[in-house]
Amino acid sequence: MRKWLTLLVPCAVLAAAIVWWKRGDPGTPVAPPSSVEAAVAVSSPLASLQATPQAQEHLERQRFEADAKDFFARSASLRAVERSERADALTRQIDKYEAACGLSAGEAVLLRTALVKATVDDPARQAEQVAAIADRYRAHADRRMAAFLEQQRNDPRFQAYKAREAQVVAEVMAATTIPAGLTRDQYLRQRLQEERERAYAP
């Protein structure tokens, strides 16, 4: 029996030592994370940012601009079918961004005109289509201007400003002295700006 105890005690001590070693010494400093772990920790916020709708829209806009630049650079070397398909895709993108106010009317006109020149070989047809684009945007601009003027006519603040505008112009033009350092035009602009701010103040 003593012989078994003599063998059992060292084995138990050895097993306890192994268990203690595997659980780690609380006093031992923790090893720094590996480069892979650090990269994952850093890239996680970046991945979250890239997944936001704003970031996705930005990336999509960059792809659109890159596609347009590539198309216009290589359109002459593309086969007719591919050129037509890519032009149609760009037209849909232009429609989308213009509807969402992501393109100004001027930018849209330039892009649409460039697409016509890249896809229509006949100069006469080119001229017709470019003229049609210009007419369409001119008519749209005229409608917007008419709507704006109608809105202004019905806006009492605008009417109040216009009434004061004529008086201010007359006063500045009749003035014999202008505040130091200002020309008459600069002084007039300053006075009119003050009147606009006063008229539209909440």
Side-chain angles (χ1 to χ4, degrees):
M1 184 70 173
R2 291 186 62 185
K3 185 175 180 180
W4 281 106
L5 286 174
T6 304
L7 289 172
L8 189 59
V9 169
C11 289
V13 170
L14 179 61
I18 290 172
V19 169
W20 177 86
W21 178 77
K22 284 196 171 183
R23 76 181 174 87
D25 184 356
T28 304
V30 177
S34 68
S35 58
V36 173
E37 292 170 333
V40 169
V42 170
S43 66
S44 182
L46 181 60
S48 298
L49 180 62
Q50 289 176 339
T52 62
Q54 294 86 350
Q56 292 298 315
E57 287 174 13
H58 179 67
L59 291 173
E60 188 177 334
R61 176 61 182 257
Q62 285 185 318
R63 282 194 293 271
F64 162 64
E65 292 175 357
D67 286 346
K69 186 180 291 186
D70 179 71
F71 174 76
F72 292 127
R74 300 196 308 118
S75 61
S77 63
L78 297 175
R79 290 180 295 112
V81 173
E82 183 181 0
R83 185 166 60 240
S84 177
E85 288 175 350
R86 290 190 61 181
D88 289 344
L90 284 173
T91 298
R92 288 192 295 273
Q93 289 289 87
I94 294 168
D95 292 340
K96 171 187 159 187
Y97 283 114
E98 191 176 12
C101 298
L103 282 174
S104 68
E107 290 171 323
V109 167
L110 288 175
L111 285 168
R112 292 183 194 281
T113 300
L115 281 174
V116 168
K117 292 182 176 179
T119 56
V120 178
D121 296 326
D122 180 34
R125 285 188 58 222
Q126 267 190 24
E128 287 175 6
Q129 292 189 24
V130 169
I133 290 171
D135 288 344
R136 188 176 72 197
Y137 277 87
R138 192 178 299 113
H140 179 65
D142 289 345
R143 286 193 300 272
R144 289 188 63 184
M145 179 56 71
F148 173 74
L149 292 175
E150 183 63 25
Q151 178 188 4
Q152 296 289 62
R153 277 193 292 270
N154 296 323
D155 186 349
R157 295 173 301 177
F158 178 73
Q159 295 304 324
Y161 165 72
K162 293 303 286 183
R164 277 294 297 152
E165 181 184 49
Q167 296 171 6
V168 169
V169 170
E171 289 171 11
V172 172
M173 291 298 109
T176 56
T177 59
I178 303 297
L182 294 177
T183 66
R184 192 176 297 273
D185 286 344
Q186 289 171 334
Y187 182 51
L188 177 59
R189 284 195 296 271
Q190 178 181 304
R191 288 285 307 277
L192 291 177
Q193 178 61 32
E194 290 170 357
E195 291 299 330
R196 279 192 291 272
E197 291 174 359
R198 189 175 295 114
Y200 286 94

